[in-house]
Amino acid sequence: MTATPTPSASGRFPAGWYAFPHRDLLGIGQLQTHEIMFLLAEAEQWVELNRQPSKHSNSLSGLTIINAFFENSTRTLLSFEIAGKRLGADVVNMHAAQSSVKKGETLIDTAVTLNAMRADAIVIRHASSGAVRLIAEQVDCPVLNAGDGQHEHPTQALLDALALRHALRERGRTEFAEGLWGLRVTICGDILHSRVARSNILCLTALGAEVRVCAPPALMPAGIEEMGVKPFHDFDAALDGAEVVMMLRLQNERMNGQFVPSTREYRHLYGLTAKRLKKAEPNALIMHPGPMNRGVEIDNDVADLEGRSIITRQVEMGVAIRMACLEVLTRRTRGVPGWSAADMAGEIV
Ligand code: NCD
């Protein structure tokens, strides 16, 4: 085994050393810090391309990508579709409402069918935690998790890190050019049911951020401290000194019973209002993965706060991150060098 080399300032690794040895992207939990940094660095070229009038690359020309969404989604599906198309792939969307799943087909049968169609990458969203891994085990091509139950949503965490990196860079915070060492981030909302929270905790702590999570007691997972974060029930205390505030919605569709007394009370205690935002650092950045419930977890004037809210930037970075993930994961299929075990065992040059 060779030691992990240090990437250059641009995040690139020495020739012959492949920084991403995984076939699938199932979760941030499977990644090492340098692999996260590698994907973030790879996304930069796509951020650039996406800002050009002509946004086309032929990298994935001839390849077929299936977006199999067993759970409703607007922005994530659109983002993956745009990403695949900008890379030149043929992209097909499969919606659960139109699928055989509704006719009683098992997940395994669906996976076998998708596999027989010889997709070159399958992007899956599913309401059950672990369903994406189950499908990945049945197919021969790379599988990307676009959100599975309350487990993980890896591309969301990666795009959030990329959006943060860009916003901090624009503010001249050069100390965050690579990792996010010491950055104070507060994540507030339904931590218990949120895959975005889970993936972000894993990603942000791997990049060195100091993460606080805030939720009502009923929506805070037991033992969350073991993930290296500090739990709070008092939002004002959680905001004190925060440089980034990430708000999450109540995942009502995953709640079995009453978790909060009322929306009104939730907003009162955990809603990000302009007044409450003053508890954070004067210039704190505001994030939300969407969809937002304006007037519940976040007020209009905060969500749209010029120079502070980076919510639309998150959406922009989503396309670039998904392009990076699709391009990297299809390298083996396309014969782009640097994937094989030999490369991994090879000398660092
Ligand atoms: C998130 C999701 O689906 O987990 N949304 C998204 O991907 N844009 C967050 C959410 O649904 O609250």
Side-chain angles (χ1 to χ4, degrees):
M1 278 295 283
T2 50
T4 304
T6 314
S8 70
S10 67
R12 296 208 173 266
F13 281 77
W17 203 92
Y18 191 63
F20 203 84
H22 311 279
R23 191 199 74 170
D24 307 307
L25 179 64
L26 300 180
I28 299 293
Q30 79 180 107
L31 304 181
Q32 296 188 40
T33 303
H34 70 269
E35 292 165 349
I36 295 173
M37 307 258 283
F38 171 71
L39 290 174
L40 295 178
E42 285 293 316
E44 295 291 355
Q45 64 192 297
W46 305 121
V47 175
E48 284 301 307
L49 181 76
N50 291 339
R51 289 177 175 175
Q52 306 303 315
S54 172
K55 304 167 184 63
H56 204 70
S57 149
N58 289 322
S59 313
L60 268 60
S61 173
L63 265 54
T64 303
I65 299 172
I66 301 181
N67 291 324
F69 277 55
F70 299 89
E71 192 191 70
N72 284 340
S73 163
T74 311
R75 86 188 60 211
T76 306
L77 176 60
L78 205 57
S79 183
F80 268 109
E81 183 175 359
I82 291 172
K85 286 185 170 159
R86 287 195 183 157
L87 290 167
D90 297 316
V91 182
V92 186
N93 294 336
M94 191 197 91
H95 300 276
Q98 300 153 8
S99 78
S100 302
V101 175
K102 286 268 181 312
K103 298 177 192 161
E105 187 173 272
T106 67
L107 197 57
I108 305 275
D109 285 337
T110 309
V112 169
T113 305
L114 292 176
N115 196 45
M117 291 181 183
R118 292 190 165 270
D120 297 294
I122 305 178
V123 180
I124 302 167
R125 169 167 284 201
H126 201 285
S128 303
S129 308
V132 178
R133 176 178 292 277
L134 197 70
I135 296 179
E137 284 164 5
Q138 303 295 324
V139 301
D140 300 314
C141 68
V143 168
L144 290 88
N145 182 0
D148 65 327
Q150 50 197 77
H151 174 228
E152 277 235 41
H153 191 354
T155 55
Q156 179 70 46
L158 292 168
L159 76 86
D160 287 338
L162 190 65
L164 268 177
R165 196 190 252 199
H166 272 249
L168 292 165
R169 192 190 296 160
E170 276 169 23
R171 289 169 169 220
R173 305 282 304 265
T174 46
E175 70 271 35
F176 299 118
E178 294 278 312
L180 297 172
W181 296 104
L183 183 72
R184 292 185 299 276
V185 183
T186 298
I187 307 176
C188 180
D190 183 354
I191 308 293
L192 181 66
H193 298 105
S194 171
R195 54 198 177 206
V196 175
R198 222 184 120 70
S199 289
N200 256 303
I201 289 170
L202 292 165
C203 188
L204 290 167
T205 53
L207 294 173
E210 207 181 281
V211 182
R212 300 165 183 178
V213 290
C214 180
L219 294 175
M220 183 73 85
I224 188 94
E225 301 86 343
E226 284 156 33
M227 292 186 81
V229 298
K230 206 165 166 211
F232 289 79
H233 300 308
D234 176 346
F235 195 16
D236 288 348
L239 284 173
D240 185 30
E243 295 165 281
V244 179
V245 187
M246 183 185 291
M247 299 305 295
L248 303 174
R249 79 184 167 92
L250 291 169
Q251 307 272 311
N252 291 312
E253 71 278 21
R254 291 190 222 297
M255 291 184 196
N256 222 335
Q258 191 88 359
F259 278 75
V260 290
S262 71
T263 308
R264 207 160 147 258
E265 179 164 339
Y266 183 82
R267 177 185 185 275
H268 179 65
L269 293 173
Y270 296 101
L272 189 61
T273 59
K275 185 165 170 247
R276 187 165 267 137
L277 182 61
K278 293 202 172 81
K279 307 273 179 195
E281 283 288 281
N283 233 347
L285 295 167
I286 300 147
M287 304 179 79
H288 195 305
M292 279 189 274
N293 289 316
R294 290 171 178 262
V296 183
E297 74 271 10
I298 192 164
D299 274 9
N300 274 331
D301 47 355
V302 178
D304 305 327
L305 195 56
E306 191 97 30
R308 303 275 299 277
S309 167
I310 57 167
I311 296 171
T312 50
R313 171 96 58 129
Q314 289 172 266
V315 179
E316 179 193 5
M317 296 300 152
V319 177
I321 274 293
R322 287 162 183 140
M323 289 171 83
C325 294
L326 288 168
E327 195 278 325
V328 167
L329 290 176
T330 55
R331 281 183 187 176
R332 183 164 67 158
T333 315
R334 293 180 291 121
V336 172
W339 204 92
S340 71
D343 278 323
M344 288 301 295
E347 275 182 41
I348 299 165
V349 289

